[in-house]
Amino acid sequence: MPSNEAVVPLGRARDPRDTLGRPMRDLRISVMDRCNFRCPYCMPRETFHDSYRFLKSAERLSFDEIVRLARLFVSLGVQKLRITGGEPLLRANLADLVGDLTAIAGIRDVALTTNGVLLSKYASELKAAGLARVTVSLDSLDPETFRRLCGGFDELGAVLEGIADAERAGLVPLKINTVIQRGVNDEGALDLAARFRGTGIVVRFIEYMDVGNRNQWQQELVVPSAELHARIHARWPLVPLDRNYVGEVATRYAYADGSGEIGFISSVSQPFCGDCSRARLSSDGGLYTCLFATHGLDLRAPLRAGASDEELLSLIRTRWTARADRYSELRATLRAGVAQEPKIEMNYIGG
Ligand code: SF4
């Protein structure tokens, strides 16, 4: 099993561990709370309607503020950055930020997650700025199902074109994230697998999760990865692959016939909190230590009040070393127990 420990021999002050001994290795940076889709499991239109109050641009961290914070997170052990949203490609001049982030010493990977609609427009400039690769959210190849799952937009063609242009631009390995819901789009899973087999593009099937507070999540709509794996394996035999690194969320499989790889992200049936090394920065500068967090640490206020690097490092370190998050492992108990505090919305911190 490959490990990234040898790469960064840092002292505890510079490599803080949380209460479960987990280091901080991945930082997901939401650069935009707005999105040009209204996927019901993330930003249902009823809530995120036309007069919904999104952040004003001055409320979002500036690129300089994001880069400064990213540099501090890197000095605490972070090696991989993922740019998310909402929809990150709605943030103007994003290539400038990518250029600055990829220049940070110690960064090994800068990736981006997008719904793909604007990818054709920006793929080349993002690549030129240093972006390594992209992950595109695509839940169905059936135009009607696609339309329903993105909140009513006929953009399937644009997304598929964006994927092709991103590949042409060299933003590879390109991954597809597909959230599977029973009776909604699970019947199309094999079509997605068929479409990208042999292309080098890796489809990852994600179990439907109770992110945020608005998607009326039901356990019955979850298709456990084991079940989906069995369906695909029956069609194209699969062989397990090792993880690329400790903390990787997807369980990887190769097609036995050599046609590439797929993955399963099974937060519900096979939680992976044990080595979760992900921190999240919201577009207005909140530090969240779990996708299902209910509270964050405001870094924007001290940042704008003139805090020194050491003061900011101390805030981040203190929050991380106190971290005990393992929502997915406790989901059943937490959901059965007393009413939970509202969780942070996914458009705010990215997936
Ligand atoms: S539920 Fe929270 S702690 Fe568990 S893997 Fe997801 S983000 Fe990490």
Side-chain angles (χ1 to χ4, degrees):
M1 173 77 72
S3 160
N4 50 19
E5 295 312 309
V7 175
V8 189
L10 301 169
R12 276 295 163 267
R14 299 206 38 226
D15 188 14
R17 302 304 163 105
D18 71 11
T19 60
L20 302 177
R22 300 169 292 187
M24 207 181 340
R25 291 289 178 262
D26 308 71
L27 179 65
R28 299 187 172 200
I29 304 171
S30 171
V31 296
M32 173 55 78
D33 55 323
R34 290 176 179 277
C35 185
N36 45 4
F37 275 178
R38 289 290 178 275
C39 306
Y41 58 72
C42 175
M43 287 179 80
R45 193 177 281 287
E46 308 73 57
T47 307
F48 297 92
H49 42 67
D50 297 346
S51 53
Y52 180 85
R53 189 203 173 291
F54 287 99
L55 293 171
K56 296 192 177 77
S57 55
E59 292 174 312
R60 294 188 194 102
L61 292 184
S62 68
F63 287 172
D64 289 348
E65 290 171 331
I66 292 172
V67 173
R68 181 176 173 206
L69 286 176
R71 192 169 274 121
L72 296 176
F73 278 96
V74 170
S75 75
L76 292 172
V78 164
Q79 298 169 347
K80 302 161 77 86
L81 301 177
R82 179 169 290 277
I83 299 169
T84 67
E87 172 49 43
L89 298 184
L90 291 175
R91 182 87 186 240
N93 308 315
L94 191 64
D96 297 344
L97 175 64
V98 167
D100 292 343
L101 291 175
T102 50
I104 297 174
I107 279 295
R108 294 173 56 191
D109 183 40
V110 178
L112 176 137
T113 301
T114 170
N115 63 26
V117 174
L118 298 171
L119 203 41
S120 290
K121 188 172 174 188
Y122 296 112
S124 303
E125 68 178 75
L126 290 168
K127 178 66 183 177
L131 187 69
R133 55 198 178 84
V134 292
T135 298
V136 179
S137 306
L138 175 61
D139 292 336
S140 180
L141 290 172
D142 170 67
E144 188 34 47
T145 309
F146 176 95
R147 195 171 185 286
R148 208 156 15 88
L149 284 173
C150 72
F153 299 93
D154 289 318
E155 298 283 7
L156 177 57
V159 172
L160 294 173
E161 244 169 70
I163 290 169
D165 287 332
E167 258 208 310
R168 269 190 289 274
L171 292 169
V172 292
L174 197 150
K175 298 181 179 173
I176 304 276
N177 276 358
T178 302
V179 177
I180 293 287
Q181 298 178 61
R182 192 181 298 285
V184 176
N185 64 336
D186 63 308
E187 291 306 318
L190 266 70
D191 298 338
L192 268 160
R195 170 70 181 248
F196 294 108
R197 261 168 54 81
T199 66
I201 293 176
V202 178
V203 179
R204 290 115 54 90
F205 295 105
I206 304 177
E207 289 180 347
Y208 176 44
M209 293 180 279
D210 50 336
V211 288
N213 313 286
R214 320 227 182 240
N215 65 8
Q216 282 115 35
W217 182 79
Q218 296 161 59
Q219 177 89 37
E220 303 73 63
L221 295 184
V222 175
V223 177
S225 293
E227 180 185 333
L228 198 56
H229 172 279
R231 291 190 206 173
I232 297 170
H233 185 64
R235 179 81 179 74
W236 301 286
L238 300 171
V239 289
L241 291 170
D242 283 344
R243 295 194 291 184
N244 289 314
Y245 58 91
V246 174
E248 183 172 25
V249 291
T251 318
R252 304 168 61 221
Y253 291 84
Y255 291 107
D257 65 4
S259 302
E261 177 183 336
I262 60 167
F264 298 91
I265 299 178
S266 320
S267 158
V268 180
S269 66
Q270 299 156 43
F272 37 79
C273 303
D275 47 34
C276 174
S277 57
R278 289 173 292 283
R280 292 173 165 86
L281 194 59
S282 67
S283 41
D284 62 350
L287 166 59
Y288 294 85
T289 54
C290 177
L291 176 59
F292 303 93
T294 53
H295 291 93
L297 169 70
D298 179 7
L299 294 173
R300 183 185 62 188
L303 191 68
R304 291 184 177 177
S308 69
D309 281 359
E310 248 336 293
E311 286 163 335
L312 292 166
L313 282 169
S314 166
L315 288 170
I316 298 167
R317 199 183 289 120
T318 306
R319 176 51 68 105
W320 189 262
T321 48
R323 179 193 189 221
D325 298 293
R326 51 193 193 100
Y327 177 86
S328 288
E329 288 176 357
L330 303 172
R331 177 182 278 109
T333 327
L334 291 172
R335 291 184 65 84
V338 291
Q340 294 298 300
E341 288 185 80
K343 289 173 275 173
I344 191 75
E345 292 297 344
M346 191 152 87
N347 75 299
Y348 203 59
I349 55 167

